[in-house]
Amino acid sequence: QVQLVESGGGVVQPGRSLRLSCAASGFTFSSYAMHWVRQAPGKGLEWVAVISYDGNKKYYADSMKGRFTISRDKSKNTLYLQMNSLRAEDTAVYYCAKEGYNYDIDYWGQGTLVTVSS
Amino acid sequence: QTVVTQEPSFSVSPGGTVTLTCGLTSGSISTGYYPSWYQQTPGQAPRTLIYNTNTRSSGVPDRFSGSILGNKAALTITGAQADDESDYYCVLYMGSGIWVFGGGTKLTVL
């Protein structure tokens, strides 16, 4: 079955960087686009970024553009999110998600919490 | 900037029917936005309910259905049950690689 396991979250100071990882299994990782979605404490879901199945196309929400970088390693079946210049408002649970066939998300990880605080 | 709108909260009686909507601050939603719907309970990851406007995800009961109603996407729950009490989110594909979530609807069953 499809499994998405995020890691790399934690407490980080404002202005610092953090890299999240998402280990994928149970499907052909190199055939599907992958997303990051975040959720600030007590708030709704916010789409962060998507990367195409082959890694050639990457798109970002405006508020993350220029600070966050999505990438993937097909040899490791792993998705990444490099987050730079972190701000307090980036504090959230970050979910890794697999795209389906119809511009939808069909599977979600359990999330990893990032806390930006001094 | 176009915002995706959802009712902040809704209430339904057990066994009742409720329709949650997903709209745009500017313009109408069509199937070309590929609306999808997700259910989330506190502390849990979201669960996919509906994709491509009206296709139920695997294992989702048929009392959940999706549609376009007027200029909005809609999620209808028929015969609401206590464990349907959750937050519900829609997401739209805006084109050019961009997705946008609605603010979510908190559904109470009482």
Side-chain angles (χ1 to χ4, degrees):
Chain A
Q1 72 280 23
V2 173
Q3 279 199 308
L4 300 169
V5 180
E6 302 94 336
S7 60
V11 180
V12 61
Q13 293 179 329
R16 303 297 290 264
S17 299
L18 201 63
R19 188 177 81 159
L20 306 182
S21 301
C22 170
S25 61
F27 65 102
T28 305
F29 179 70
S30 58
S31 295
Y32 294 91
M34 297 291 296
H35 297 249
W36 286 100
V37 175
R38 72 181 185 181
Q39 186 170 36
K43 302 296 185 182
L45 299 172
E46 181 181 22
W47 178 76
V48 172
V50 62
I51 185 168
S52 62
Y53 70 97
D54 58 2
N56 288 338
K57 297 179 181 178
K58 305 173 185 181
Y59 302 95
Y60 302 88
D62 283 346
S63 58
M64 270 67 84
K65 207 176 295 184
R67 295 190 302 124
F68 290 9
T69 302
I70 190 171
S71 62
R72 64 193 300 162
D73 184 335
K74 66 178 181 180
S75 68
K76 296 181 178 179
N77 282 358
T78 300
L79 175 72
Y80 301 101
L81 185 68
Q82 176 69 42
M83 303 185 293
N84 298 331
S85 303
L86 284 163
R87 308 164 180 165
E89 54 265 37
D90 295 318
T91 294
V93 173
Y94 285 74
Y95 294 102
C96 161
K98 171 186 170 293
E99 186 172 320
Y101 292 111
N102 293 281
Y103 297 101
D104 63 292
I105 288 172
D106 56 4
Y107 291 95
W108 300 75
Q110 284 302 304
T112 186
L113 176 62
V114 172
T115 303
V116 184
S117 174
S118 54
Chain B
Q1 181 180 348
T2 299
V3 174
V4 178
T5 62
Q6 294 185 246
E7 299 87 359
S9 62
F10 229 116
S11 183
V12 62
S13 299
T17 296
V18 62
T19 297
L20 311 181
T21 68
C22 176
L24 293 171
T25 52
S26 177
S28 299
I29 292 178
S30 67
T31 56
Y33 283 90
Y34 299 91
S36 51
W37 293 88
Y38 305 88
Q39 178 190 49
Q40 188 183 36
T41 53
Q44 298 297 314
R47 169 197 181 196
T48 304
L49 294 176
I50 301 286
Y51 62 92
N52 196 19
T53 305
N54 56 15
T55 304
R56 269 186 301 277
S57 187
S58 176
V60 174
D62 61 5
R63 54 199 183 77
F64 290 91
S65 62
S67 63
I68 299 290
L69 285 181
N71 62 349
K72 295 183 178 182
L75 173 70
T76 299
I77 307 172
T78 304
Q81 300 179 1
D83 60 3
D84 294 336
E85 188 161 293
S86 302
D87 295 325
Y88 292 86
Y89 296 92
C90 69
V91 68
L92 304 178
Y93 177 62
M94 308 303 283
S96 302
I98 303 298
W99 275 257
V100 179
F101 279 91
T105 296
K106 183 177 183 62
L107 181 67
T108 301
V109 181
L110 52 75

